[in-house]
Amino acid sequence: MTAFSLKNGTLHAENVALASIAERFGTPCYVYSRAALEASLDEFLAELQGIDALVCYAVKANSNLGILNLFARRGAGFDIVSGGELQRALAAGADPQKIVFSGVGKTADEMRLALNTGILCFNVESAPELDRLNEVAGSIGKKASISLRVNPNVDAKTHPYISTGLKENKFGVAYEDALALYRHAAALPNIAISGIDCHIGSQLLDPAPFAEALDKILLLVDQLAAEGIQLHHIDLGGGLGIRYSDETAPTVKSYLGPLLAKLAGRKLKIVLEPGRRLVGNAGLLLTKVEYLKPGEVKNFAIVDAAMNDLARPALYDAWHDILPVAPHTGAEQSWEIVGPVCESGDFLGHGRSLALQPGDLLAIMSAGAYGMAMSSNYNTRPRAAEVLVDGNQVHLVRRRETVEQLLAQDAMLP
Ligand code: LLP
């Protein structure tokens, strides 16, 4: 998929020059490619053809309504983790029966909203959450469909902040406790057991841990069946990694193939919750060089995007490719690509070899996932605009915030 490529010496999103986007919408600006978004969803759908399966896009990766709507139109479901995400999914045209609700801290209000909406399933993460859900459902005359998110205790071999399937993580129900909690669930009047769920971490580049987790989950499925608790679906979570620099990301086929083989012959609907894989490489962050500040020890290129726009480098030391929009022929130097925020951790890339001039445009690549979604207003910086490119067309899918909007939320003492 060549969503972003050089044409006539300048970087384009599909058929649109990034320079023209900067001119029209300003910088910093997130730019997404419709073709790339659809191609990544298609990669999943192709493997799942003829199989009873549902791809529930993890809204947290990028919750822009334009993107959610694109996926909803293609039949995708959604994995949500808050009432806010539920409202976004519904506003984008989601089918409630294709929504699963994950997260360790669902409030009673969020539960009521989801029950009244009629979502497919709650992925329950603890015993007290199960009891609360039973109570809330009873109070409004509903029955809640549930999976238990079981923690299979496998090592996802990814960054510790985004590894979630180990015992020491706050997520899910301990493997050893799962059977007992299912028995408890079966006895609750307002709970309907529907499935089982696990999510072991994010940005996984080795498919083996997924298969290891599935083996453990299937053991539980069989133990439950022996006790007369029949499950209808199995949710394998998200986590499939993407290429940021020179990693080899597994194909969807090599990830799903072994899992589908293990599930063949079982009457279990398959639910998946991919986030990053669907949007990560379908987006970039367009920014402009404000100042060059060469120094004795380091050369700083100060750009107009910052850690509030893209937190991943500051937060995880994550590496994003940084490409010049219009490459020069001049001599390259090593640059620290940094933002204007008042923190030394405010960097987008260290030691990048680039030929730079003030005013140059740069593209921070692979920024479609956990980019805008994790942005903030730190330093009273209005959030960036977002555009979705479709062939020759550019659609503004989120207006740039204004300082007036930010100030309007505050109040002073009378
Ligand atoms: N399902 C659940 C229950 C999750 O917690 C997550 C992500 C996903 C699905 C989607 O995972 P994905 O397919 O995107 O790996 N902010 C971090 C990533 C945090 C992931 C949190 N959970 C980052 O920027 O790398």
Side-chain angles (χ1 to χ4, degrees):
M1 178 70 243
T2 51
F4 306 111
S5 60
L6 279 176
K7 290 180 181 156
N8 307 321
T10 75
L11 204 55
H12 283 58
E14 300 194 18
N15 301 326
V16 180
L18 289 178
S20 73
I21 292 177
E23 200 171 312
R24 196 167 147 204
F25 300 100
T27 51
C29 180
Y30 276 97
V31 182
Y32 309 115
S33 154
R34 175 182 184 165
L37 291 165
E38 299 214 52
S40 48
L41 179 60
D42 282 341
E43 218 189 330
F44 279 86
L45 299 182
E47 291 312 312
L48 297 169
Q49 238 171 26
I51 295 172
D52 185 14
L54 181 62
V55 175
C56 289
Y57 166 63
V59 173
K60 66 171 80 68
N62 188 322
S63 53
N64 183 279
L65 291 184
I67 291 178
L68 300 186
N69 174 253
L70 204 59
F71 289 153
R73 285 198 230 172
R74 298 292 313 279
F78 297 94
D79 167 46
I80 57 156
V81 291
S82 69
E85 286 192 354
L86 175 56
Q87 284 171 272
R88 272 190 182 271
L90 295 174
D95 174 351
Q97 266 301 299
K98 292 183 178 174
I99 295 178
V100 297
F101 194 169
S102 304
V104 292
K106 300 175 195 81
T107 65
D109 280 346
E110 289 175 320
M111 288 173 172
R112 253 187 302 275
L113 182 64
L115 285 164
N116 284 324
T117 303
I119 64 164
L120 178 65
C121 188
F122 288 83
N123 291 336
V124 172
E125 304 218 15
S126 67
E129 181 193 335
L130 183 64
D131 289 334
R132 178 187 279 181
L133 184 58
N134 177 55
E135 227 176 271
V136 172
S139 73
I140 53 171
K142 305 259 181 204
K143 223 169 167 141
S145 222
I146 66 116
S147 279
L148 291 186
R149 174 169 174 182
V150 177
N151 196 336
N153 199 28
V154 301
D155 186 357
K157 303 185 189 86
T158 184
H159 192 288
Y161 283 15
I162 51 179
S163 173
T164 47
L166 281 170
K167 265 194 176 150
E168 58 258 41
N169 297 125
K170 71 175 172 182
F171 301 98
V173 174
Y175 191 83
E176 301 70 30
D177 302 339
L179 275 180
L181 197 55
Y182 266 109
R183 287 184 200 117
H184 178 58
L188 292 173
N190 311 309
I191 295 291
I193 295 174
S194 170
I196 191 161
D197 166 48
C198 76
H199 170 82
I200 56 175
S202 197
Q203 183 55 13
L204 269 72
L205 293 170
D206 174 4
F210 290 111
E212 198 188 323
L214 177 56
D215 282 338
K216 290 184 130 178
I217 296 294
L218 286 177
L219 271 178
L220 275 182
V221 172
D222 292 338
Q223 283 171 305
L224 286 167
E227 296 195 15
I229 299 178
Q230 206 65 48
L231 303 184
H232 308 296
H233 79 258
I234 181 162
D235 181 337
L236 300 174
L240 186 60
I242 61 167
R243 182 189 184 109
Y244 281 98
S245 60
D246 54 1
E247 312 91 327
T248 314
T251 59
V252 173
K253 195 188 199 64
S254 66
Y255 152 70
L256 279 183
L259 307 182
L260 296 178
K262 288 181 195 294
L263 289 164
R266 288 180 178 263
K267 287 196 180 62
L268 284 170
K269 181 190 184 85
I270 302 165
V271 176
L272 300 169
E273 303 171 355
R276 186 190 320 265
R277 183 68 178 218
L278 294 188
V279 293
N281 275 326
L284 58 80
L285 174 59
L286 187 58
T287 182
K288 189 177 80 188
V289 176
E290 290 285 346
Y291 298 103
L292 294 182
K293 203 172 165 186
E296 227 169 81
V297 183
K298 281 179 176 171
N299 301 318
F300 292 97
I302 299 158
V303 300
D304 64 3
M307 65 188 288
N308 74 295
D309 300 299
L310 180 66
R312 302 192 72 256
L315 203 52
Y316 315 116
D317 211 7
W319 199 93
H320 287 256
D321 218 347
I322 300 180
L323 303 178
V325 168
H328 306 295
T329 45
E332 291 187 353
Q333 267 181 294
S334 177
W335 294 100
E336 297 294 301
I337 311 293
V338 303
V341 163
C342 302
E343 300 237 9
S344 294
D346 178 27
F347 75 96
L348 298 168
H350 289 306
R352 302 304 173 91
S353 272
L354 291 162
L356 291 182
Q357 285 166 12
D360 278 358
L361 293 171
L362 296 174
I364 321 284
M365 305 304 290
S366 311
Y370 306 109
M372 186 63 176
M374 289 171 68
S375 65
S376 78
N377 293 120
Y378 190 35
N379 282 203
T380 305
R381 289 171 50 84
R383 262 176 274 233
E386 291 177 289
V387 303
L388 181 45
V389 174
D390 181 8
N392 302 317
Q393 310 265 340
V394 187
H395 302 276
L396 180 65
V397 290
R398 191 174 204 269
R399 285 191 298 270
R400 182 178 306 286
E401 280 177 349
T402 64
V403 172
E404 291 70 32
Q405 287 172 321
L406 305 188
L407 300 194
Q409 295 301 108
D410 292 19
M412 289 180 267
L413 290 178

